[in-house]
Amino acid sequence: MPIESTTILPHLFFILLGLVIGSFLNVCVARLPQDESIVLPSSHCPNCGEAIKPYDNIPVISYLLLGGKCRSCKRAISWQYPAVEALTAATFWATFALVGFQLKTLVLLVFFSAIIVLIFIDLNLRILPDVITLPGTLMGLLFSLLAPVEDGTANFIATVAGFPAGPPRLLSFFDSLIGALFCGGFLWVVAEAYFRIRKIEGLGFGDIKLMGMVGAFLGLRLALLTIMLGSFMGAVIGLAYIKFAGKDGQYELPFGSFLGIAAILAALRGAQVIGQYTNLFRAF
Ligand SMILES: [Zn+2]
């Protein structure tokens, strides 16, 4: 019988890992859009420029101890720093709790880290930098050779076309490739149509490249679920925000942020959702 501490320890480990990685992701959110180095210089207050002491740089805890203010100039520290750290910790923990510890877990943690950076950069600046989405898509394609994407579309196409069953790694790679190309392509068509009808850009190329990355990591079905869920959240939460915060119709929603949250949910719970949906139809 395992003693209690051995079952709690891995959970604590993933929460702590998430807090530490989240602290690093904050640096990426602040510096990547400016093409600044994410390694040097060390963290400093964006207001007074004072270097942040190691004991004031403990994820979430320092923010609470300092009362959300810089120690030297007392200017408020953005709520985003602890939010990014807490979200990363929650996501890392959920990944371990739902997926366990396997190669797929590591692939998902890399994917989620990139997604969290994109969620907050889009929220701040309404951009999704190529410096994350393009290498991210390439990583998704490469990782599909390590941990199976398990989408099934490649196998389906091979069966319909009468090809002999390929090795699992190859099928996984094609699932990743189909996800990237089809989701990126699908959103591109939507973006073009929207632009021609409304004469304003509703969907940026950043969103399209983001979905290429999501498709590469998750495969076609989960990526399509991401688009549906992200659009739904964008419509409901975004329009409610426009209404209650008194923004006008020209207010630009951070659609990439919604897609990012949807991608995390789809990656962790999407397979079950699709499974139940399919069963519902089988029942009739
Ligand atoms: Zn300061």
Side-chain angles (χ1 to χ4, degrees), residues 55 58 60-68:
Y55 54 81
I58 304 160
V60 182
I61 293 165
S62 288
Y63 181 86
L64 297 174
L65 287 178
L66 289 166

Side-chain angles (χ1 to χ4, degrees), residues 85 109 132 156 161 194 217:
E85 288 154 358
L109 295 189
I132 304 168
F156 175 77
Y194 188 90
F217 270 96

Side-chain angles (χ1 to χ4, degrees), residues 13-23 25 84-86 88-90 92:
F13 170 78
F14 276 87
I15 291 169
L16 286 176
L17 182 70
L19 287 172
V20 172
I21 299 288
S23 187
L25 299 185
V84 167
E85 288 154 358
T88 311
F92 276 35

